[in-house]
Amino acid sequence: MTSQEFIRRARAYARRTGQRFRFDPKHGKGSHGRIYVGSRFATLPRGELKKGVLAAMLHQLDIDRGEF
C-alpha cells in the first residue's frame, strides 16, 4: 500500500466513524508527514509502506486492520 492510498483509506475510515481527519505534510522531517484521525496521530512516510510500518501506524491510530 502506498502512502497516498493510506491517506484515502484513513480519510474514509474517519468519515465512517465520525472522527476528524487531517494530514499535515509539513510536520514530518524530510519525506514524512503527520496524519491525524480523531485525537491520535502517526508519522507517515512517503512511498510504499511495508507491513510492519502499516501495522504500527494502524496501532498508533487505534484502527482495527479489519475495519481499515
Side-chain angles (χ1 to χ4, degrees):
M1 173 182 304
T2 65
S3 58
Q4 291 300 318
E5 185 178 351
F6 186 88
I7 291 170
R8 277 194 308 275
R9 286 183 170 198
R11 183 178 286 127
Y13 173 81
R15 194 175 300 131
R16 275 195 318 269
T17 58
Q19 298 183 60
R20 197 174 70 134
F21 173 85
R22 184 166 60 104
F23 176 64
D24 185 5
K26 305 258 190 251
H27 195 83
K29 200 171 189 183
S31 64
H32 292 69
R34 188 168 279 180
I35 189 167
Y36 298 86
V37 176
S39 62
R40 296 177 156 250
F41 70 89
T43 301
L44 178 68
R46 291 209 176 107
E48 191 68 30
L49 302 176
K50 295 181 181 179
K51 281 183 171 182
V53 172
L54 177 61
M57 288 174 47
L58 290 174
H59 178 74
Q60 290 169 355
L61 294 171
D62 196 29
I63 298 175
D64 182 41
R65 190 175 186 127
E67 293 180 18
F68 193 67

